[in-house]
Amino acid sequence: MAGTTRQTLGLLRELRRRPARRQAASIAYWLYLAGLVIISYGGWLITAMARALRHPPPPGAATAMLGRAAPAGLCALALGVLAALLWDARWRGPVSVTGPTADWLLDTPVDRGKLVRPRYRAAVVTSALAGAAAGLVPAVLLLAAGLGSGGLRHSLALTGASMLSTALLAALGTGAAAWSQAKLTARGRQAAARAAGAAAAGLAVIAVLSAVLRLPDAVAAVLLWSGPWGWAAQAPVAFSGGSAPLWPAATAVLAAAAAGLAGAADRAAAGVPAATLRLRAHTIGRMSAAALNFDTRRITTAYRGVTGAYRRPRLRVRLPRHRRLVLPARDLLALARIPARTAWSALLALAAVGLCALGVRSPHAALPALAAGLSCGYLAAAGLCEGARLDSDDPRRSGSLPFRYQDLAWWHAVTPSLALAVLAGIPAAIITALAGRGALILLVAATIPVLTGGALVNSFRGQVDGGMFGGFDTPAGHTAGIMIVFWFLTGPLLAVGPMIILWYQAVTSGRASHVILLAVLASGLAAWLGSIAARRARRLHAP
């Protein structure tokens, strides 16, 4: 086998030499294009980050509260990175092959380790570099919050420590993902990813509690030594004024763990079954083709095909006797087929209510909390509109229903609105009863139809119109990219943006009249969004 492998790989290198040059030129072009887009549209953000590093703002009124939440929050962020990498191992993972390799070489007597290990090692290096770049985000956030502001040298030290920790964490997560591909079953990989995601959500809750209730310092100490997520958080915590005196030891332990797990995964990479590699290569090809066509639903379909996200529903939904209730019942059945989607929507709804309650409690710093909370609420509503997206994908599904096409959007709003009323209304009612803030439940009730309407607008958007790629030149750049982004984000822009302004006005004024005005304006906004979704549904069903 060794001679066959050597001859085959040598022949492949000769055949790939000329295409490799064209591929390198193509990669260089796309890197240049990405850099040009980032500088054109994100130059202000880069400038703001550089200003925050050179001249960090002084501590403010919320700095102490954010400092208490920093250990648990950074641990939650690090564990979220690991959860994302483990989730990626469910359908792609760092151990993969190209489509031609899967079709022509996996069934031949070629050493599989020689085929998969170079791509795995490249994935480890790429993830480490991407992690180092992503490490700028927590560093800038800490400095912008007034934590660790001790001059330019101190800011650079905080940034370097954050980048190093995040790079090591990304390498460790890539090794864990590759090891799970080789050693765990599909259910085991799913359980590991879900456990990591649930733990990250739990740490986020602890971070909020630490900021509001002043938890003991021992809780932060335990979290910082609870695992790799805590080891990665110790250096940023130490440089931002927190208590982490042994952060060099924690960073060294993290580096050793990353090297050990990456090396173990490198040895185990050859054990990934050929059928799994072939299925994932074909899935990546289908998803790449759908991404080039901006077809997000086909990307989702390909993902569910490899992960088996659609299952037999455990919840038995009895069809109603009244014919006009058939569509809400079918939407409920669509949610029952994907219980994980409903669970994530429930978590997002809970996070939305908590963040909005935090904004109501602290009106002077309500804007970030309200923006994050309403964004989570929109994501929760979007996760509950699966039935509308299925009708958008295949207009024939609703051809035999007793509805006009323009009425579909209104009927599709019933199930997600009722689900959000339960998932967000109950926590809001509990917080209202415990904290005595009656405005919260009224604001949440008025916001639910708006978020559902925005989610339905995006559900019935259809495919990208080719005319969007034309655009025209302006002094600020070409408009094609802006038009495509706006086409993708029409729903959240029209729903979340106005509601942030209305919530902020109602919270900062503290008057009942402003709450009533918000409810009236929200009802009008919800009706407008519903009419937009209805027009889009009629356009999709037009012959």
Side-chain angles (χ1 to χ4, degrees):
M1 181 182 292
T4 303
T5 300
R6 188 163 45 250
Q7 294 174 2
T8 302
L9 295 181
L11 178 61
L12 285 177
R13 279 192 292 269
E14 289 294 330
L15 295 176
R16 290 175 176 172
R17 183 168 298 173
R18 183 173 297 176
R21 295 175 182 173
R22 292 197 299 267
Q23 186 179 9
S26 177
I27 292 174
Y29 168 75
W30 284 107
L31 289 176
Y32 162 75
L33 186 62
L36 188 62
V37 171
I38 291 173
I39 293 175
S40 300
Y41 295 103
W44 62 272
L45 182 59
I46 297 173
T47 304
M49 292 175 64
R51 188 183 300 113
L53 290 176
R54 295 182 60 186
H55 305 289
T63 300
M65 182 178 65
L66 295 175
R68 293 193 299 269
L74 290 174
C75 288
L77 188 62
L79 194 53
V81 172
L82 294 179
L85 291 171
L86 290 174
W87 200 270
D88 176 76
R90 292 186 60 203
W91 68 273
R92 187 188 59 165
V95 181
S96 62
V97 294
T98 60
T101 300
D103 293 334
W104 294 94
L105 293 180
L106 286 181
D107 293 332
T108 61
V110 176
D111 185 6
R112 193 177 302 161
K114 298 290 186 180
L115 298 177
V116 299
R117 285 193 180 109
R119 290 178 63 87
Y120 163 70
R121 292 166 184 170
V124 173
V125 175
T126 303
S127 64
L129 294 176
L136 289 169
V137 176
V140 172
L141 290 177
L142 290 171
L143 291 172
L147 297 169
S149 55
L152 178 60
R153 181 176 299 179
H154 191 80
S155 299
L156 293 177
L158 170 60
T159 305
S162 179
M163 293 176 65
L164 175 61
S165 299
T166 312
L168 294 175
L169 182 73
L172 183 142
T174 305
W179 188 87
S180 69
Q181 282 185 266
K183 298 296 184 180
L184 298 181
T185 61
R187 286 190 176 182
R189 291 191 295 271
Q190 182 180 12
R194 287 183 175 178
L203 288 177
V205 173
I206 293 176
V208 175
L209 294 177
S210 300
V212 177
L213 302 179
R214 297 177 180 268
L215 296 181
D217 295 339
V219 175
V222 171
L223 292 178
L224 291 177
W225 286 103
S226 58
W229 46 90
W231 306 337
Q234 286 203 29
V237 168
F239 281 98
S240 59
S243 177
L246 298 179
W247 69 267
T251 305
V253 172
L254 177 64
L261 191 54
D266 185 76
R267 293 188 294 271
V272 179
T276 301
L277 293 173
R278 189 177 298 108
L279 175 62
R280 296 185 177 212
H282 295 162
T283 301
I284 293 172
R286 291 194 295 270
M287 294 180 74
S288 301
L292 289 175
N293 292 323
F294 291 91
D295 193 344
T296 56
R297 289 298 292 169
R298 291 190 183 276
I299 295 175
T300 305
T301 302
Y303 167 77
R304 286 175 182 157
V306 72
T307 59
Y310 281 125
R311 296 182 179 180
R312 184 183 298 275
R314 298 180 182 180
L315 176 64
R316 295 289 181 179
V317 180
R318 297 182 62 182
L319 293 179
R321 295 184 178 181
H322 198 286
R323 62 178 188 173
R324 291 193 175 274
L325 297 179
V326 171
L327 189 57
R330 195 175 68 173
D331 289 348
L332 184 60
L333 183 62
L335 293 179
R337 293 189 64 190
I338 319 175
R341 180 184 292 273
T342 308
W344 278 111
S345 294
L347 290 176
L348 288 169
L350 183 61
V353 173
L355 289 169
C356 290
L358 184 63
V360 173
R361 182 181 179 182
S362 305
H364 60 279
L367 192 57
L370 293 178
L374 291 171
S375 299
C376 290
Y378 172 82
L379 294 176
L384 298 172
C385 292
E386 180 64 16
R389 279 188 289 269
L390 292 175
D391 273 346
S392 174
D393 292 342
D394 188 2
R396 296 171 298 177
R397 292 180 75 248
S398 56
S400 59
L401 293 177
F403 305 112
R404 295 181 302 172
Y405 290 137
Q406 56 265 33
D407 295 337
L408 283 177
W410 301 104
W411 285 101
H412 276 302
V414 175
T415 298
S417 296
L418 293 177
L420 271 184
V422 174
L423 298 177
I426 293 177
I430 294 174
I431 294 175
T432 300
L434 295 178
R437 299 185 180 274
L440 179 64
I441 186 66
L442 298 177
L443 293 172
V444 170
T447 306
I448 287 174
V450 177
L451 298 180
T452 303
L456 289 175
V457 167
N458 260 27
S459 298
F460 287 106
R461 66 188 174 202
Q463 296 184 353
V464 179
D465 187 2
M468 294 183 184
F469 294 93
F472 53 90
D473 292 321
T474 66
H478 203 266
T479 61
I482 298 177
M483 293 172 61
I484 293 174
V485 170
F486 184 78
W487 179 82
F488 273 103
L489 301 179
T490 303
L493 287 177
L494 298 181
V496 178
M499 291 309 298
I500 292 174
I501 299 174
L502 294 177
W503 270 75
Y504 185 71
Q505 292 293 331
V507 167
T508 52
S509 66
R511 297 178 181 178
S513 59
H514 284 74
V515 177
I516 297 174
L517 179 61
L518 180 145
V520 173
L521 294 177
S523 62
L525 180 60
W528 181 54
L529 291 172
S531 64
I532 294 176
R535 287 197 300 269
R536 288 190 169 192
R538 183 172 63 249
R539 187 182 70 248
L540 288 176
H541 290 83

